[in-house]
Each structure stands twice: as C-alpha cells, then as structure tokens.
Amino acid sequence: MKAAQVATAAADLVGGDRKEAYGDVLLGLDRIALMWNGLLAIAGKAPKAPINAHDVAQMMVCMKQARAYTGPMRIDNHIDAAGWSSVAGEAASRIAEAS
C-alpha cells in the first residue's frame, strides 16, 4: 500500500461516520482524559499536569505504533496511527483556539 493510500484510508476513518456514532471528537477525548486522570490519581500516579484531549490522541498514536511492532505486519495499525495523528492535530488546534 502506498503512503497516499494509507493517508486516504486514515482520512476516510476520521472523516466518516465517527461523529454520528460517537459525537464530537474533542468532547470524547476530554471524557477519556478525565477518566484517565482519575484512574492515575487513584493509582497514586497522577501526572504533574492533567492529561488533556491532545495527550489522549497522542497516546493512541503511540499505542498503534507499538502494535505495529507486534506480530505480523497489519496495515491497519499504520492507518489508525495516521488517523489518530490527524485527530491529535485537530485537538491541538482546537485547544489553542479556545485559549
């Protein structure tokens, strides 16, 4: 699969029916951040600064990258990493606009 095909597949994922199924991506990432911050606090591992929506998306990129090194090559790991990276960019942009 060529790079442009990976990027197109990622764009189809993040630009498709996800909003209809899950709502606004930033609100969803904010909910995840709240839950992860709570879990880390309960575990006694709260970060110096709370995790935000951008951090969640970046951690999902890392998860997909780690999976790319596990088992046989699966192109969906690369497609998903590209998709999460674009979501992280949107989150960063929207957070910057709000401040």
Side-chain angles (χ1 to χ4, degrees):
M1 184 175 247
K2 300 215 181 248
Q5 292 171 303
V6 171
T8 299
D12 289 344
L13 280 176
V14 300
D17 63 354
R18 297 275 168 100
K19 184 174 183 178
E20 195 171 306
Y22 300 108
D24 180 79
V25 68
L26 194 61
L27 294 176
L29 293 173
D30 281 336
R31 281 189 211 99
I32 294 166
L34 285 170
M35 294 178 77
W36 286 1
N37 283 310
L39 178 64
L40 289 169
I42 290 167
K45 299 176 182 180
K48 291 179 184 177
I51 293 166
N52 65 20
H54 177 253
D55 299 322
V56 171
Q58 289 288 65
M59 286 187 268
M60 294 303 292
V61 172
C62 290
M63 182 193 73
K64 296 312 275 187
Q65 290 172 333
R67 283 189 178 170
Y69 285 98
T70 304
M73 197 291 284
R74 290 182 179 90
I75 197 65
D76 69 294
N77 289 314
H78 301 283
I79 293 168
D80 290 348
W84 278 114
S85 185
S86 63
V87 168
E90 179 179 344
S93 296
R94 289 173 60 183
I95 290 168
E97 290 170 4
S99 21

